[in-house]
Amino acid sequence: MQTGHVGAEYVEYVLRHKRGLTPQPPPLRLGNDALDRISLPEPDLSIYDPLPPEAMTRDPGTPPKDDPSGESST
């Protein structure tokens, strides 16, 4: 590799493992042409941006006491 040329396997390794990229699965085919033609747009998640954040709980409280038989009470 002194010339700086790399193979396709190395490029794939870099893209998948070092950058965390994974190949996309093929589209699901149901066998029904009408159903296979259905295409939905990506959802618009920006509608959740103006919602106020909920306060996080730092203390979840006391854990439930276990039953003497060894089973949890929940």
Side-chain angles (χ1 to χ4, degrees), residues 14-34:
V14 169
L15 291 175
R16 285 193 185 192
H17 299 287
K18 290 191 176 180
R19 294 191 182 168
L21 300 178
T22 59
Q24 294 293 321
L28 178 65
R29 298 289 173 214
L30 302 172
N32 182 329
D33 289 337

Side-chain angles (χ1 to χ4, degrees), residues 26-40:
L28 178 65
R29 298 289 173 214
L30 302 172
N32 182 329
D33 289 337
L35 295 177
D36 288 341
R37 283 193 303 267
I38 294 174
S39 177
L40 299 174

Side-chain angles (χ1 to χ4, degrees), residues 42-54:
E42 290 290 323
D44 181 18
L45 300 179
S46 66
I47 62 171
Y48 297 105
D49 289 341
L51 296 178
E54 293 187 23

